[in-house]
Each structure stands twice: as C-alpha cells, then as structure tokens.
C-alpha cells in the first residue's frame, strides 16, 4: 500500500550500480504472454458474439473488456484523490475561521484538533490515492501495450500476399511502435481527462460556496481560454494525422 518494497531497491542502488539480478522479477499477471492470452480470450468471445454486419471496433472493445475491472479500481483511486484535493481548501478555510475566533480556542479545543486531524487525513488520502492511481494506470497501460504488440506480431506472421500488399512493412512498424504505445497511454490520459473535469466542477462549487458571486469574474477568462484552445486542438490533430501518413510513406519507401 505504501510502496515500501521500493525502499530496499533504492538503498541497494545508492550503494552500488544495479545489476539485472537485483531487479525484482515481473509478476506472472504482468507478463506480455499472459496479457496477450487474456486479450485473445476476450477477442474470441467478442467474435462469437458479434455478427458479420457488426462494424464495431473489436480491438478497442477487447481492450476495454479485458482491462475494465482494474480501470474501475483506478477510477476509484482517481476519484478519492480528486475529492481530497477539493476538500483540503475547505478544511484550511475552516481552520482559519477557527483560528480567528478567540472564543473557539478557549472553549472548544476538540474542534481545532479535529480540523487538524481532517487536514492530515485529507493529505494522506491525497498522497496514497494519487500514487496508486499513477502506478496502476501505467501498469494497466503497459499490459495493454504488451498484449497488442504480441497480437500484431503474431498476426504479421500469418499475413497472406494480398494482405501484405495492403499493409506495408512501414505501416506494421507504426502499429507496433506508435499505435500500441498510444493505446498503452490511454488509461493514463483517460483518467486525467475526467478527473480534471470533475475537479473543475467541484472547485467552481467551492468558490461559489466561499466567495459567492465574486467567483464569476474569475471564471470568464477560464471559459475564454477554453474556447480559444478548441481550434488549436483541431489544427494539432490534423497535423498529427498528416504526420502519421507521411511517416507511413517514408517507412514504405525505406523498405
């Protein structure tokens, strides 16, 4: 829970350069072969369930169904961290109000101690949930990436001549090097996206609760900057799509 297993490795790495035998082995559930088997099991069940006319993305839904449970747990960690971050200013606000009240300090010491205790608790929950969120999202992403890399490589070995003409070596290299990497990054950015939206809504609610209508002038620049970002994001997306096409052509020419 506290990642204490890293301490011995850090102490050893401080005393001498680490060798391969010093690094802990992967758990079996984190190995690429195990991730690939889970992915293919889900893939085959989806193929049996889907009809020939069904055009839904089997790769995406296989990844989603395979890693859904662990990402629900990651979402719980992310939500805990978001709530802790939002609640901390409210506890500080309560502590400032308590400190400014002389009567409260003289007559109700338990209230002050409880506020400090809640503040410490919120920081502990923030720290622990954030570490598990970051670690588990990266771990889930690596399993997704490993499974897809193995799947693409094994599929390449079975391609027919006509399929090889449709999918050049450069495109296959892009599938393994670029597309699988971005799918592996997906859990991280997915949870970052929705938690940012939730944190924004909660923060605005806290501002209105504390400041009142005075929070509105601060929201105007935020909305304007958000709207300005939309066309720039579309331009960037278009440039990235063109870059991928050019990269495919370059790899095809090189091959």
């Amino acid at each position: 829970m506290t990642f204490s297993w890293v301490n011995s490795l850090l102490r050893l790495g401080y005393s001498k350069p680490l060798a391969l035998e010093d690094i802990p082995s992967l758990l079996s559930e984190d190995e690429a072969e195990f991730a690939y088997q889970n992915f293919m099991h889900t893939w085959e069940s989806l193929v049996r369930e889907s009809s020939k006319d069904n055009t839904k993305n089997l790769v995406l839904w296989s990844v989603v169904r395979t890693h859904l449970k662990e990402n629900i747990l990651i979402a719980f960690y992310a939500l805990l961290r978001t709530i802790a971050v939002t609640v901390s200013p409210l506890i500080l606000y309560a502590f400032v109000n308590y400190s400014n009240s002389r009567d409260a300090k003289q007559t109700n010491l338990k209230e002050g101690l409880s506020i400090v205790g809640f503040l410490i608790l919120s920081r502990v929950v923030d720290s622990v949930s954030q570490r598990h969120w970051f670690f588990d999202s990266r771990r889930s992403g690596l399993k997704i990436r490993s499974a897809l890399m193995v799947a693409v490589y094994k599929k390449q070995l079975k391609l027919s001549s006509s399929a090889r003409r449709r999918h050049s070596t450069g495109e296959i290299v892009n599938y393994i090097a670029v597309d699988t990497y971005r799918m592996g990054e997906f859990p991280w950015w997915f949870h970052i996206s929705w938690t940012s939206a939730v944190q924004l809504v909660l923060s605005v609610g806290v501002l209105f609760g504390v400041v009142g209508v005075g929070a509105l002038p601060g929201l105007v620049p935020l909305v304007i900057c958000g709207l300005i970002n939309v066309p720039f994001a579309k331009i960037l997306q278009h440039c990235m799509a063109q870059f991928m096409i050019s990269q495919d052509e370059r790899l095809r020419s090189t091959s």
Side-chain angles (χ1 to χ4, degrees):
M1 185 176 182
T2 60
F3 297 101
S4 59
W5 50 270
V6 177
N7 295 338
S8 58
L9 188 64
L10 293 177
R11 282 194 295 268
L12 184 62
Y14 183 77
S15 61
K16 73 179 186 70
L18 292 175
L20 184 60
E21 56 268 16
D22 299 326
I23 309 298
S25 301
L26 278 176
L27 292 175
S28 59
E29 63 187 44
D30 291 332
E31 293 179 354
E33 183 61 28
F34 187 82
Y36 169 72
Q37 290 174 359
N38 286 339
F39 172 78
M40 289 307 300
H41 177 72
T42 308
W43 170 280
E44 290 166 359
S45 64
L46 280 175
V47 169
R48 289 192 297 267
E49 295 171 7
S50 62
S51 60
K52 293 182 179 180
D53 298 331
N54 197 345
T55 58
K56 72 175 181 180
N57 194 327
L58 289 180
V59 175
L60 177 61
W61 285 107
S62 298
V63 169
V64 169
R65 185 177 292 188
T66 304
H67 300 277
L68 180 61
K69 290 183 180 179
E70 61 190 33
N71 275 276
I72 290 175
L73 182 60
I74 296 169
F76 174 71
Y77 291 141
L79 183 62
L80 269 184
R81 194 258 173 178
T82 304
I83 294 173
V85 168
T86 308
V87 167
S88 293
L90 289 176
I91 302 176
L92 282 173
Y93 183 69
F95 183 74
V96 170
N97 289 337
Y98 172 80
S99 300
N100 291 334
S101 175
R102 292 184 179 180
D103 295 336
K105 286 191 290 186
Q106 294 172 359
T107 61
N108 197 355
L109 183 61
K110 289 183 179 180
E111 181 183 351
L113 292 176
S114 63
I115 292 174
V116 174
F118 279 121
L119 182 61
I120 295 172
L121 179 63
S122 68
R123 300 310 301 168
V124 170
V125 171
D126 176 16
S127 178
V128 174
S129 58
Q130 184 187 41
R131 297 304 178 273
H132 280 274
W133 166 22
F134 288 0
F135 178 79
D136 289 346
S137 61
R138 293 298 189 187
R139 183 184 183 188
S140 177
L142 281 173
K143 288 193 281 188
I144 292 173
R145 182 182 176 187
S146 300
L148 291 177
M149 288 177 73
V150 176
V152 171
Y153 181 76
K154 290 193 174 184
K155 181 68 175 177
Q156 181 192 10
L157 300 178
K158 302 175 183 179
L159 287 180
S160 62
S161 300
S162 59
R164 289 183 183 278
R165 286 196 296 269
R166 292 196 304 272
H167 301 277
S168 66
T169 305
E171 290 175 326
I172 296 173
V173 169
N174 266 341
Y175 296 153
I176 295 177
V178 179
D179 295 339
T180 58
Y181 170 79
R182 291 185 175 176
M183 286 295 292
E185 291 290 302
F186 174 75
W188 165 265
W189 288 109
F190 173 73
H191 293 295
I192 284 284
S193 300
W194 74 263
T195 51
S196 298
V198 171
Q199 187 172 342
L200 181 62
V201 171
L202 292 178
S203 301
V204 171
V206 169
L207 275 176
F208 271 101
V210 175
V211 182
V213 185
L216 282 176
L219 294 178
V220 173
L222 185 67
V223 173
I224 293 174
C225 291
L227 294 175
I228 291 175
N229 275 324
V230 173
F232 286 105
K234 289 182 178 179
I235 293 172
L236 182 62
Q237 183 180 8
H238 175 72
C239 291
M240 289 301 297
Q242 294 299 317
F243 172 75
M244 293 297 295
I245 294 172
S246 301
Q247 192 175 30
D248 287 342
E249 294 175 353
R250 177 176 63 83
L251 286 171
R252 187 183 294 112
S253 302
T254 304
S255 299

